[in-house]
Amino acid sequence: MGIPSFQTLTLPTFFFFFVSSYLLAYFRIFHNWDPKHRAEASSCFISLTHGTPAVFMAIHALTTHTTKSPSPPTFSSPNTFLHNTVLEFSISYFSIDLLHYLIFFPNDTLFILHHLATLYVFFTCRFIVHHGSFALLVLLILAEITSFCQNVWTLAGYRKADLPVAGKVFDLMSLPFFAFYTIVRGIIGPLFVYKMGVFYINQMAGDSIPVWAWVSWMIVIVTAILISIVWVFDHWIDWFKRRKAMSKLA
């Protein structure tokens, strides 16, 4: 097992960025919101500052080939500098958002466990295993490509009761957002994870990624996929119920 190396300035820089973003949201942007939604909206804000940038950073990292490894990457390829930078960007975000839940919503066990598990996967890949970031960055893209829609939809949902425009945005976004989320998280994601599983189970990673690492990563990833599917399924049911209720009123 490798020894974690923290000889980088990007991690504390990203950490400071997300702390500053959260404080800006909490004390300035959403300062006149009620306490509960103020904290939740601040979490959405830093999710916005992470999600879409992480997608573009990951795409750039994955499409930038180095002279050290000119061959196409695999699920066990060594991490590149750009790969590590994206991992540190996400490690910083999930650390700050985890602190948010621990402070404001300590009973939200599901989100706390999700963030801890995600941090475990990213941290071990970045600082201990030093391989496998290719697969994780693809999954990061699939996870965060829906982030903008989800956060705007969520923010609109917080204010739909008192702002008519927020209610309209929430209603207009629900169907396309659920459809987009279902395609990405319910179809593309599971197919990619299946390919990962086949790769690792057939021992194609060799000695690059220890068994303990890829087994624990797969447990976390598969669990996250299943939770996402259940989440969107529940929202589809709620959406159809609301549509049915509206049709009866019409």
Side-chain angles (χ1 to χ4, degrees), residues 155-184:
L155 287 170
Y158 291 153
R159 300 302 302 269
K160 66 179 181 179
D162 55 300
L163 287 177
V165 66
K168 291 180 180 179
V169 170
F170 181 84
D171 291 335
L172 285 173
M173 288 191 67
S174 292
L175 178 58
F177 165 56
F178 295 157
F180 184 35
Y181 192 98
T182 300
I183 293 170
V184 175

Side-chain angles (χ1 to χ4, degrees), residues 14-238:
F14 290 144
F15 191 87
F16 177 77
F17 168 73
F18 286 113
V19 169
S20 301
S21 297
Y22 188 92
L23 294 177
L24 172 66
Y26 191 83
F27 289 106
R28 297 294 298 175
I29 299 175
F30 303 112
H31 68 94
N32 60 344
W33 286 36
D34 66 87
K36 181 178 183 295
H37 287 156
R38 181 183 181 186
E40 291 174 329
S42 299
S43 175
C44 284
F45 181 78
I46 62 167
S47 180
L48 284 167
T49 63
H50 168 258
T52 303
V55 169
F56 285 107
M57 289 172 66
I59 291 173
H60 175 65
L62 292 172
T63 55
T64 301
H65 301 285
T66 64
T67 55
K68 293 182 180 179
S69 56
S71 58
T74 69
F75 293 140
S76 60
S77 295
N79 303 354
T80 69
F81 173 78
L82 289 177
H83 291 182
N84 287 336
T85 301
V86 180
L87 290 175
E88 291 181 13
F89 184 69
S90 291
I91 288 171
S92 300
Y93 159 70
F94 280 105
S95 297
I96 299 304
D97 207 43
L98 175 61
L99 287 176
H100 154 80
Y101 279 101
L102 291 174
I103 293 171
F104 292 104
F105 307 101
N107 294 324
D108 199 334
T109 308
L110 182 61
F111 268 96
I112 291 173
L113 290 177
H114 168 270
H115 282 25
L116 285 172
T118 303
L119 283 168
Y120 163 78
V121 173
F122 286 167
F123 184 89
T124 52
C125 177
R126 167 62 183 94
F127 294 108
I128 299 176
V129 179
H130 306 294
H131 291 73
S133 58
F134 167 76
L136 298 188
L137 292 194
V138 173
L139 289 172
L140 180 64
I141 292 171
L142 295 176
E144 298 298 341
I145 200 169
T146 59
S147 174
F148 179 81
C149 293
Q150 183 169 357
N151 283 295
V152 173
W153 175 81
T154 302
L155 287 170
Y158 291 153
R159 300 302 302 269
K160 66 179 181 179
D162 55 300
L163 287 177
V165 66
K168 291 180 180 179
V169 170
F170 181 84
D171 291 335
L172 285 173
M173 288 191 67
S174 292
L175 178 58
F177 165 56
F178 295 157
F180 184 35
Y181 192 98
T182 300
I183 293 170
V184 175
R185 303 287 190 98
I187 300 174
I188 301 176
L191 288 175
F192 185 80
V193 172
Y194 171 76
K195 291 184 177 181
M196 283 180 63
V198 171
F199 181 89
Y200 291 134
I201 290 172
N202 289 329
Q203 301 181 344
M204 297 174 69
D207 296 328
S208 298
I209 301 179
V211 174
W212 66 264
W214 70 256
V215 168
S216 59
W217 292 356
M218 289 300 298
I219 291 173
V220 169
I221 293 166
V222 170
T223 302
I225 288 286
L226 292 174
I227 291 174
S228 295
I229 292 173
V230 171
W231 182 88
V232 76
F233 179 75
D234 286 343
H235 279 78
W236 273 119
I237 292 176
D238 182 65

